[in-house]
Amino acid sequence: MNGHGPVLVVDDESEMALALQETLRQDGYTVDLAENGKEALRCFEDLGPYQWVITDLKMPAMDGWSLLTTLRRISPQTRVILMTAFGSVPQAVDAMRQGAVDFLMKPFSPEALRRLLSHGLRPSGGSASGRLPGEAGLWSRLRRPILTGDPRFTRVLKMVESVARSQATVLIEGESGTGKELLARFIHEASPRAHRPFVAVNCAAIPDGLLEPELFGYEKGAFSGAVSRKIGKFELANNGTILLDEIGEMELSLQAKLLRVLQEREVDRVGGTAPVPVDLRVVATTNRNMKELVAAGKFREDLYYRLRVFPVQIPPLRERRGDIPLLAQHFLEQLESQGIPVGELTGEALSMLSAGEYPGNIRELENLLTQVALLSGGGPIGADHLPGMDGAFAMPPEPSSGSSQEALAAVSPVLPVRPGQSIWEVERDLILVTLESCSGNRTQAARLLEISVRTLRNKLHEYGVPAAGDGEGG
């Protein structure tokens, strides 16, 4: 792993700092140490820029948050990982995640840190050369990159990158699964507000009666059950960006209040007596035809034009088929980084993938590749692993050797859901099938399910599965 850029470890706990230094040096990194943020800035002045800064959050003199803010101004290319032993910083954790800065809760394993560093060193994009076709922009260098070589979409992204530097409200339109939320995050990260909060609200997922207090907040006693003041999403996004996902699903009564936020830059809490000023950037997304909603009287015309200061239309995947090989390789690399055995994608399989219609767009392609990677069992991914015209998966060839457990894991059938089945049963079946597909490896299964190993262990105990080591078969 030689040839890595220099790393600066910032921590007032000397034992922790020395342990990290030794671990990273063994991996081929050049590592310097600093006891706090002020000393870290002196290292930048005396020794030049660092590729990585791994810093504790709570330190004397200058804490990790202040250091991060300063580094984003003086050395924007430096990648920062925050770490802390304190569990009482949920807002900081959320801000880190939304701002494309990684966050580790102490204690963490050396392997967890190595994964973050190796992820950051991988080329943005998924072509064989590691480079995107065409001219790559900031959108391809994000932690969650937007991958495209399509000339039409590239032109759109260039315009978006320019508009992101302004304060203009943006309306992103596109089919489900095209990456609207990813584009919204790109707008935030390419803006002067990049290191301020990014708050996403799915207007379709929150019941109508709950969306108003969720967005605007409420005062104590505003209604039955309001035992204390709640700060709404608009206030949480102050100085940053708020994403109103699926804005077309917002009820008319709330649309009037949203219009006031856009016009006056202030919010009225439920039960409040005075407006609260806010300074934020609004990005809205929709998979609906907004003009039709306006014509049908389901969406305010004045709000529509307030939101549509800069409209962006994301093309569906079937109109950018040249990106399918690029995206496919990227998703397979992601699976491999999660510890899932992934074989080569054969030319025949790639041709079939490129010919698909994908009504679910990029999300559908990602889900499909996850399924076929599990079905292939680490071998080459061929046409026989892809679904037929009826959407059903073909059975993979019988393995030539290996245990019945390994053969069962390689098949990993698509999970059926039956009418009347309880949520508990669906969750149980999903967890057990995922564990089976990982050959009983609990760490790998937990990563796929996006839950902790402890949660997985508790669930399996609930289902009566015998105990096993975290990384062992179960």
Side-chain angles (χ1 to χ4, degrees):
M1 296 181 65
N2 292 327
H4 297 326
V7 178
L8 179 63
V9 174
V10 190
D11 199 327
D12 58 330
E13 297 181 12
S14 59
E15 291 185 3
M16 179 69 177
L18 290 169
L20 285 174
Q21 183 181 46
E22 180 60 25
T23 297
L24 295 173
R25 281 180 173 173
Q26 290 177 5
D27 289 343
Y29 290 91
T30 300
V31 187
D32 294 325
L33 301 180
E35 291 187 354
N36 54 56
K38 286 187 175 181
E39 187 175 324
L41 294 179
R42 285 196 292 271
C43 289
F44 270 79
E45 292 176 1
D46 298 339
L47 303 174
Y50 291 84
Q51 182 177 15
W52 290 97
V53 167
I54 305 169
T55 178
D56 195 19
L57 186 61
K58 298 195 72 173
M59 297 179 295
M62 177 185 281
D63 62 16
W65 181 258
S66 300
L67 175 61
L68 168 68
T69 304
T70 304
L71 290 178
R72 286 308 178 217
R73 177 172 49 83
I74 68 171
S75 183
Q77 294 79 22
T78 298
R79 304 177 186 215
V80 180
I81 297 174
L82 285 177
M83 54 184 180
T84 184
F86 298 85
S88 59
V89 286
Q91 289 181 333
V93 173
D94 184 60
M96 294 302 92
R97 294 191 192 281
Q98 308 304 344
V101 177
D102 289 300
F103 189 95
L104 286 170
M105 188 71 72
K106 294 179 180 178
F108 54 86
S109 67
E111 187 55 39
L113 179 58
R114 288 189 182 105
R115 280 197 300 269
L116 292 182
L117 296 174
S118 62
H119 176 81
L121 288 169
R122 289 212 313 271
S124 296
S127 61
S129 65
R131 294 182 179 272
L132 288 171
E135 183 179 353
L138 172 63
W139 57 86
S140 70
R141 302 192 299 272
L142 303 176
R143 185 167 59 119
R144 294 179 60 198
I146 301 174
L147 304 178
T148 185
D150 181 75
R152 173 189 169 192
F153 194 30
T154 299
R155 286 194 297 271
V156 170
L157 291 172
K158 287 180 180 178
M159 289 189 294
V160 169
E161 186 170 0
S162 298
V163 171
R165 303 186 188 106
S166 72
Q167 303 301 319
T169 301
V170 179
L171 177 63
I172 304 172
E173 299 174 280
E175 296 178 7
S176 293
T178 50
K180 296 186 294 295
E181 182 174 347
L182 191 59
L183 184 58
R185 291 179 184 273
F186 163 58
I187 291 170
H188 173 71
E189 293 175 25
S191 76
R193 302 173 183 265
H195 306 294
R196 298 295 185 175
F198 178 92
V199 177
V201 183
N202 189 324
C203 299
I206 303 174
D208 289 345
L210 299 180
L211 186 56
E212 180 177 7
E214 186 73 15
L215 285 173
F216 296 91
Y218 53 80
E219 297 288 352
K220 179 180 180 180
F223 49 83
S224 177
V227 296
S228 62
R229 170 186 287 178
K230 174 182 171 65
I231 301 300
K233 299 295 188 184
F234 283 118
E235 288 185 72
L236 289 175
N238 192 33
N239 296 317
T241 303
I242 188 166
L243 166 62
L244 300 176
D245 198 16
E246 303 302 346
I247 189 67
E249 307 300 325
M250 181 179 285
E251 58 180 320
L252 279 168
S253 60
L254 273 187
Q255 292 176 26
K257 293 195 70 172
L258 174 57
L259 183 63
R260 173 175 166 77
V261 174
L262 294 175
Q263 290 174 331
E264 307 298 334
R265 298 293 165 175
E266 57 186 26
V267 298
D268 295 304
R269 296 187 190 128
V270 178
T273 58
V276 179
V278 290
D279 172 19
L280 46 78
R281 171 59 152 315
V282 176
V283 179
T285 70
T286 182
N287 62 8
R288 306 283 298 275
N289 187 314
M290 296 298 289
K291 289 184 178 179
E292 290 182 0
L293 291 179
V294 170
K298 296 180 179 179
F299 202 88
R300 293 178 62 115
E301 186 174 26
D302 49 1
L303 177 58
Y304 171 61
Y305 286 109
R306 276 281 182 179
L307 291 170
R308 203 174 181 271
V309 175
F310 186 83
V312 180
Q313 185 75 40
I314 301 184
L317 187 56
R318 61 185 173 274
E319 294 181 11
R320 40 182 286 219
R321 293 185 185 276
D323 284 343
I324 291 175
L326 182 69
L327 292 164
Q329 184 65 28
H330 172 71
F331 292 138
L332 291 176
E333 286 177 358
Q334 282 190 321
L335 291 170
E336 195 169 33
S337 71
Q338 295 167 9
I340 299 173
V342 176
E344 290 293 322
L345 194 62
T346 66
E348 187 179 5
L350 185 57
S351 296
M352 289 182 64
L353 287 172
S354 298
E357 286 302 308
Y358 302 106
N361 292 288
I362 297 171
R363 185 182 298 120
E364 180 181 350
L365 175 64
E366 181 178 11
N367 292 341
L368 174 61
L369 286 164
T370 301
Q371 293 167 341
V372 299
L374 294 174
L375 285 170
S376 69
I381 299 173
D384 55 343
H385 296 111
L386 295 172
M389 296 301 293
D390 60 356
F393 279 88
M395 293 291 286
E398 288 294 328
S400 57
S401 62
S403 67
S404 59
Q405 174 66 25
E406 290 171 338
L408 185 61
V411 172
S412 184
V414 178
L415 180 67
V417 178
R418 303 182 300 276
Q421 195 174 14
S422 70
I423 297 295
W424 186 89
E425 291 173 314
V426 172
E427 180 187 71
R428 177 200 61 195
D429 293 349
L430 175 61
I431 287 175
L432 294 179
V433 166
T434 302
L435 184 65
E436 188 176 62
S437 74
C438 298
S439 301
N441 187 301
R442 298 187 176 193
T443 300
Q444 185 175 316
R447 190 179 298 118
L448 280 175
L449 293 163
E450 297 187 358
I451 60 176
S452 68
V453 174
R454 177 180 295 178
T455 298
L456 177 61
R457 187 188 305 120
N458 292 339
K459 291 290 184 182
L460 293 175
H461 177 73
E462 182 181 333
Y463 308 147
V465 177
D470 289 348
E472 300 172 359

